[in-house]
Amino acid sequence: QVQPVESGGGLVQAGDSLRLSCAASGRTLSTYAMGWFRQAPGKDRERVATIIWSSGSTYYANSVKGRFTISGDNAKNTVDLQMNSLKPEDTAKYYCAVAVTRGGGFEYWGQGTQVTVSS
């Protein structure tokens, strides 16, 4: 069982920066991948950024490339999302997710943290 917990959300102005943090606790020995997803009212859930620990491979949604950076510590099962040059379109609830195995997908999800960007 794995329980991700997010923190760092808040209300900011366009152009500001925020750093989101996530820690995954539980009895699993390790995680295969961790990442961030977001969902705004009336919109589908979007994969924002993910990282596969073994390869260091990262994914970024086109909408955040060049502005967001995912990083973390596999030994501690933690990930951060550095968000720069925030736009009102980034307003959403951000969720941390965990994949325990290569074939298991992102199966563990946190409660989410709200990010609101005003114009």
Side-chain angles (χ1 to χ4, degrees):
Q1 302 297 315
V2 179
Q3 178 62 61
V5 179
E6 308 97 332
S7 63
L11 174 63
V12 299
Q13 294 181 322
D16 285 352
S17 297
L18 275 178
R19 178 181 286 269
L20 305 183
S21 298
C22 174
S25 63
R27 66 183 182 88
T28 184
L29 294 176
S30 64
T31 61
Y32 171 73
M34 295 182 68
W36 293 92
F37 297 73
R38 67 186 181 187
Q39 187 166 29
K43 296 184 178 180
D44 292 334
R45 185 182 65 196
E46 176 186 24
R47 181 164 60 138
V48 177
T50 57
I51 183 167
I52 299 173
W53 298 119
S54 61
S55 64
S57 178
T58 57
Y59 163 90
Y60 294 98
N62 287 334
S63 59
V64 307
K65 284 182 179 178
R67 299 189 297 120
F68 291 10
T69 303
I70 188 169
S71 62
D73 186 339
N74 185 35
K76 297 180 179 179
N77 290 329
T78 59
V79 289
D80 295 335
L81 184 68
Q82 178 64 45
M83 305 185 295
N84 298 326
S85 301
L86 283 162
K87 304 175 180 179
E89 305 94 276
D90 296 317
T91 295
K93 194 166 187 178
Y94 285 70
Y95 298 88
C96 176
V98 174
V100 176
T101 64
R102 187 176 186 274
F106 289 94
E107 58 184 339
Y108 298 102
W109 297 80
Q111 294 285 326
T113 185
Q114 180 68 37
V115 173
T116 302
V117 185
S118 65
S119 60

